[in-house]
Amino acid sequence: MGEQGPDGSNKKRKTDERVAHAAPVTPAAPAAPVAPVAKTARQTAKTAAKKIAAKKTAPKKTAAKGTAAKKTAAKETAAKETAAKETAKPPANESRTALVRRARRINRELAEVYPYAHPELDFDNPFQLLVATVLSAQTTDLRVNQTTPALFSKYPTPEDLAAANPEEVEEILRPCGFFRAKTRSVIGLSKALTEDFGGQVPGKLEDLVKLPGVGRKTAFVVLGNAFGRPGITVDTHFQRLVRRWQWTAETDPDKIEAAVGALFPKSDWTDLSHHVIWHGRRICHARKPACGACPIAPLCPAYGEGETDPEKAAKLLKYEKGGFPGQRLKPPQAYLDAGGKPAPPLGAG
């Protein structure tokens, strides 16, 4: 109930009427329609959903395209390798004339790749080359080159080495392996040179092979590089490559020498040996040839036995072809001019 005044009238009712007459009430603005807001929200949600779906779908499409591209590239690479391999293989019934031509072409190609090829043993005279070649059996030329400076510094002549204390020589030659047997050989050949040849290294094959520890291979190294007399050096690299190239099927070094020698003029023999041996050490390795980096791949019947991918093959290259030092501490100037690096001395980091 409202409060009553002194005259008994209803005080609240009169007050409400005065307010109603004094300030007319303005009607409230109509509320915004709800439907359009809901519609906009749904559209926004749908747009966001589409964007999310697009982001999820895009990588899959890209990945699918990338996979397809990789498969196509792999097929093309395989096709090229197959074609190259088929092209590389000489005919099964290769004639003698065709063999001679192919062999000489390989030598010409290698001469362009290794124009600075040389014996990879350090030497200043025939005696040093003879001793170094004997020491190189079953070890690397690099190890020999790192060992001989101390040997030749202490025993510079055949007479000095012939009179040496075997135990002292053994200690110097220890890094070369088989140092006891090699000590006997170098002291023995030094005595023979002193007693039979006046302290001079003979320049004839028949005389060289009479020296202790000297066979035909060693003799031809000395004859070809110290005396300028042609000879074929049939070392392990030479044997492996000439069989890979199907120049011969022989396995005996003397027979290989005769078979390969018959394919070339005698004047080519020494340089041919260098080319083949250098290629065997740098590119055509025994276990994993770098076929993809080989300059004579189209002429090689064994193409594909090693790594054919060019990038992977490039990682298999050794010595100067792979950017590494060579085997000689004192290489010829032509080698240095071509970008070759000398090997470090024994004990260097």
Side-chain angles (χ1 to χ4, degrees), residues 56-140:
K56 291 182 178 179
T57 307
K60 293 182 180 180
K61 291 181 179 179
T62 303
K65 290 181 180 179
T67 304
K70 288 180 181 179
K71 289 182 178 179
T72 302
K75 288 181 180 179
E76 291 177 355
T77 302
K80 288 179 181 179
E81 291 178 358
T82 302
K85 189 172 181 181
E86 290 175 353
T87 303
K89 284 189 174 181
N93 58 344
E94 185 178 40
S95 67
R96 175 73 180 180
T97 301
L99 171 60
V100 170
R101 289 175 177 171
R102 182 169 63 86
R104 294 185 181 184
R105 184 180 172 190
I106 286 176
N107 187 40
R108 289 195 300 271
E109 296 284 346
L110 293 180
E112 293 183 4
V113 178
Y114 311 107
Y116 43 74
H118 56 266
E120 294 192 89
L121 290 168
D122 283 324
F123 69 98
D124 293 325
N125 54 58
F127 172 64
Q128 290 186 0
L129 179 58
L130 177 61
V131 171
T133 306
V134 170
L135 295 178
S136 68
Q138 296 179 299
T139 190
T140 64

Side-chain angles (χ1 to χ4, degrees), residues 39-55:
K39 185 177 181 181
T40 302
R42 285 197 298 272
Q43 288 176 343
T44 303
K46 287 182 179 180
T47 302
K50 287 181 180 179
K51 289 181 179 180
I52 294 172
K55 288 181 180 180

Side-chain angles (χ1 to χ4, degrees), residues 15 18 44 110 123 131 154 188 215 229 244 280 284 331 334 347 349:
T15 301
R18 284 197 300 269
T44 303
L110 293 180
F123 69 98
V131 171
K154 192 169 185 177
R229 297 177 183 174
R244 242 177 210 171
C284 195

Side-chain angles (χ1 to χ4, degrees), residues 208-228:
L208 284 169
V209 294
K210 293 177 183 178
L211 300 173
V214 179
R216 289 179 68 87
K217 183 195 82 170
T218 298
F220 280 129
V221 170
V222 175
L223 290 173
N225 299 286
F227 294 100

